[in-house]
Amino acid sequence: MSYLLKYLRAALVPVCIALAATGDADIFSAIMMIAAIVAIYLMPKDNGSLFFAGALIYALCFSWLAGTLERFGGFPATVAFLLFLLFIFLSALQMVFFGALFRAEIYPRFFRQLGLVFPLAWTGVDFLMPKMFPWTPAHFLLAIKPVALLASVVGPYGLTFLCCWAAENSIRGILEFQRKGKMKRFALTFTIITLSCSFGYYLQVRLDHVTQHAQRISVALVQGNLSTETKGKSSYLKANLAEYVRLSEKRNVDLLVWPESVMSTWTPVNMENIRDTKYDPFPEQAVSLIYGVLSYEQRSKDELAKLESELGRPLTRQDMERVFHWYNSAFVLDPVGGVAGVYHKRALMPLGEYLPFEESFPWVRSLSPQSGRFSVGHIAEPVRLQIQPRGGELEVPVEVRSGLLVCYEDLLSALSVDYVRRGANILVNVTNDAWYGQTAAPYQHELLASWRAVETGRVLLRATNTGATAGIMPDGTAVGGLPIFTAAVSELEVPLLSHVTFYVAGGHWLEVIPSFVLLLLLFGGFIVGRQKGFSK
């Protein structure tokens, strides 16, 4: 019976996290994640319980992954399922590593007295653990705005640290009061929580003031709802574009945004104007347009010479695919078809846009023949676009400096932070999440992406093919959201912001501190252990 109870206690963690992660980013989701943090602290810390909990977390929250690998990567169902099991196994190790560090005798006495062991062990491992889909418990607290806005200072991992510290010290404070009648720890914890929330409220008031006085532009986010069966096939190209043109016609806005790879005709990178060419997705376009496109450019002479050297022979017609760089891109057009800027995706999705280790093991291509051979982009500057008044909200010309992100890239803080440092006044993400189907994945993607707006203090525009399309305000609120798998358009008035959050200015380095301290303690423990061994 005790064995069963132990695993039932361990199962509370994945159940709470699954309830938080598979629904909307609302108060219930936040409460469930807070309960999960408490359950992690209270659960048994043996390796079996921890691995069981970790495996169940990823099996429940990422149950859509096997189907996505089959549709997106083209893997056979059996191979996709085996890859999903491997993903679960590797991801579950995070819980085991956390438990080992939680139990380790490497912490100074005052660390335990101050309740720092749990937050250090959890956040340190959480930050260091490689993840295909980077998430941390604080990501699910978006509905509690005074708490969420603390991420504009310390980031989501810093917020997770604070939550873990509050959980440990609240529980220990209650127990100390029950057993000894002492209120000191509980009172201190309550005071720090109150001060933190008060500071978050101050950040919200200040952000509201900045937003209200910012210059605004009108945008239309177009969600065409193209199926995975028709999108990207040349026989459906005209029909697919016609659907986006139909939804976009006569929109009296300053900027149109279409999703990822809407234009699947391979387009040369170096075009200066696409009007009246076969690469023009919207010949009647009279407003600025950002859209996803597949693009290419020929490799440089040095790159071709290196390729011939690696092959050990001259290039032939059979090598034509290798002669070019192929990109998953976003193009920015002005109202007359001029190319104002181009961006190529920098963070490619493994098993979909490229096959890891293919150069060393060419046979892996036979497992996933549909996987792409995309090149990594290197453009990091925001795209600058001059918007002229059109008789609406905008009264004077304004420069829109767009930090462009393609699909998965809106999950990576570093890209958005770098854009804002380079002067971006808005973030724009073009995405195609049709591969996920009717699952929780599109909502999870939107939730995790929302934190780029909070961290940077910028509006994040998300134009997706099938959802979830929305504008994310700098406090994480989604506005103008469209139902998934519906052809529709969301028209919004959004502010162009130029203030710099503490997180962008340098606060993102605070997220590294728990991992750095943990590694120092591990190194110190290793040295002490070796010295004891030598003394014996």
Side-chain angles (χ1 to χ4, degrees):
M1 181 61 71
S2 60
Y3 187 80
L4 178 62
L5 287 175
K6 181 180 73 170
Y7 279 92
L8 285 175
R9 285 173 60 196
L12 283 175
V13 174
V15 168
C16 290
I17 292 178
L19 288 172
T22 55
D24 295 327
D26 53 15
I27 291 294
F28 175 77
S29 176
I31 292 172
M32 285 297 99
M33 188 52 69
I34 292 170
I37 294 171
V38 172
I40 292 170
Y41 178 70
L42 294 175
M43 71 175 288
K45 300 299 188 297
D46 62 283
N47 290 339
S49 299
L50 289 163
F51 184 83
F52 169 74
L56 203 53
I57 287 170
Y58 284 90
L60 292 174
C61 296
F62 295 92
S63 58
W64 44 265
L65 183 57
T68 301
L69 287 171
E70 187 177 354
R71 290 187 294 270
F72 182 51
F75 288 95
T78 302
V79 175
F81 182 70
L82 290 174
L83 287 172
F84 177 52
L85 291 181
L86 178 63
F87 167 77
I88 291 173
F89 174 81
L90 294 175
S91 300
L93 293 177
Q94 177 180 333
M95 292 290 284
V96 178
F97 296 151
F98 154 70
L101 290 168
F102 183 83
R103 299 188 304 265
E105 297 295 330
I106 59 174
Y107 304 98
R109 185 178 178 183
F110 75 90
F111 272 50
R112 295 195 181 276
Q113 291 173 337
L114 295 176
L116 293 174
V117 173
F118 174 50
L120 265 179
W122 178 268
T123 311
V125 173
D126 197 18
F127 184 82
L128 290 173
M129 189 76 179
K131 296 176 186 173
M132 184 177 291
F133 306 98
W135 69 276
T136 189
H139 281 139
F140 299 90
L141 305 181
L142 196 61
I144 310 174
K145 297 305 177 188
V147 174
L149 282 170
L150 294 174
S152 66
V153 178
V154 298
Y157 287 96
L159 188 53
T160 291
F161 181 92
L162 290 174
C163 291
C164 290
W165 181 88
E168 174 173 353
N169 283 279
S170 295
I171 293 167
R172 289 175 62 180
I174 292 170
L175 293 176
E176 286 179 9
F177 177 72
Q178 288 179 337
R179 295 169 182 172
K180 303 177 183 178
K182 295 182 178 180
M183 285 286 293
K184 184 178 178 180
R185 183 183 296 274
F186 187 81
L188 176 63
T189 305
F190 179 79
T191 300
I192 291 178
I193 291 174
T194 302
L195 290 174
S196 298
C197 290
S198 298
F199 181 60
Y201 179 74
Y202 160 75
L203 292 174
Q204 187 170 15
V205 172
R206 190 179 69 170
L207 180 61
D208 289 343
H209 176 78
V210 171
T211 302
Q212 287 171 6
H213 292 82
Q215 199 164 24
R216 292 174 176 267
I217 61 169
S218 58
V219 300
L221 309 178
V222 186
Q223 180 176 293
N225 192 35
L226 305 180
S227 70
T228 54
E229 289 75 22
T230 61
K231 191 176 183 299
K233 292 185 178 180
S234 57
S235 57
Y236 288 94
L237 175 60
K238 289 185 178 179
N240 291 343
L241 283 178
E243 176 65 3
Y244 272 91
V245 169
R246 181 187 69 82
L247 291 167
S248 305
E249 286 176 328
K250 300 178 181 178
R251 297 284 172 182
N252 186 27
V253 294
D254 300 312
L255 178 65
L256 282 168
V257 187
W258 290 2
E260 178 185 9
S261 63
V262 168
M263 184 63 171
S264 53
T265 296
W266 289 95
T267 303
V269 166
N270 59 353
M271 296 195 70
E272 296 182 359
N273 193 299
I274 64 168
R275 190 53 36 90
D276 300 324
T277 72
K278 66 177 182 179
Y279 306 111
D280 190 351
F282 191 2
E284 299 81 15
Q285 163 216 354
V287 299
S288 299
L289 171 67
I290 298 175
Y291 67 103
V293 58
L294 302 178
S295 69
Y296 70 94
E297 67 177 345
Q298 186 169 328
R299 295 178 185 268
S300 67
K301 290 182 180 179
D302 290 342
E303 288 177 313
L304 292 175
K306 182 180 178 182
L307 183 57
E308 287 185 337
S309 175
E310 291 174 352
L311 293 173
R313 57 174 174 77
L315 295 170
T316 66
R317 287 183 177 273
Q318 294 179 342
D319 300 309
M320 285 302 293
E321 193 173 70
R322 300 189 184 191
V323 171
F324 296 92
H325 284 297
W326 308 96
Y327 297 114
N328 188 354
S329 306
F331 276 30
V332 181
L333 305 182
D334 63 27
V336 294
V339 180
V342 175
Y343 171 75
H344 309 307
K345 189 177 183 184
R346 290 178 281 170
L348 300 179
M349 179 62 74
L351 308 181
E353 292 172 315
Y354 76 99
L355 279 175
F357 314 115
E358 182 183 6
E359 292 184 3
S360 302
F361 306 102
W363 56 267
V364 300
R365 172 62 56 177
S366 62
L367 298 176
S368 180
Q370 290 179 222
S371 291
R373 288 188 171 93
F374 287 99
S375 297
V376 175
H378 300 286
I379 299 170
E381 291 292 329
V383 174
R384 297 173 183 270
L385 179 67
Q386 296 295 327
I387 301 289
Q388 300 298 325
R390 294 170 48 82
E393 181 80 14
L394 192 63
E395 297 178 351
V396 296
V398 63
E399 184 180 61
V400 176
R401 301 184 296 276
S402 303
L404 300 178
L405 304 162
V406 177
C407 195
Y408 174 84
E409 292 182 323
D410 62 359
L411 301 187
L412 307 176
S413 297
L415 298 182
S416 298
V417 167
D418 186 55
Y419 269 136
V420 173
R421 285 180 172 175
R422 293 172 184 264
N425 55 14
I426 195 167
L427 301 174
V428 181
N429 173 243
V430 295
T431 288
N432 175 30
D433 281 348
W435 312 100
Y436 296 136
Q438 293 277 2
T439 68
Y443 302 106
Q444 292 172 346
H445 189 171
E446 180 187 45
L447 171 65
L448 298 181
S450 299
W451 290 87
R452 306 297 80 77
V454 176
E455 293 162 355
T456 62
R458 298 294 183 269
V459 172
L460 169 65
L461 301 176
R462 299 192 74 244
T464 73
N465 175 37
T466 55
T469 294
I472 312 298
M473 296 298 105
D475 65 352
T477 302
V479 297
L482 300 176
I484 66 171
F485 292 99
T486 302
V489 179
S490 177
E491 292 194 12
L492 306 167
E493 296 281 344
V494 297
L496 300 175
L497 299 167
S498 59
H499 70 287
V500 177
T501 64
F502 184 81
Y503 184 79
V504 170
H508 61 289
W509 288 107
L510 294 175
E511 295 185 305
V512 180
I513 292 176
S515 300
F516 180 72
V517 171
L518 203 58
L519 291 174
L520 281 180
L521 291 172
L522 280 171
F523 181 74
F526 174 76
I527 296 299
V528 170
R530 285 181 61 88
Q531 289 176 342
K532 288 182 178 179
F534 284 132
S535 65
K536 290 179 181 180

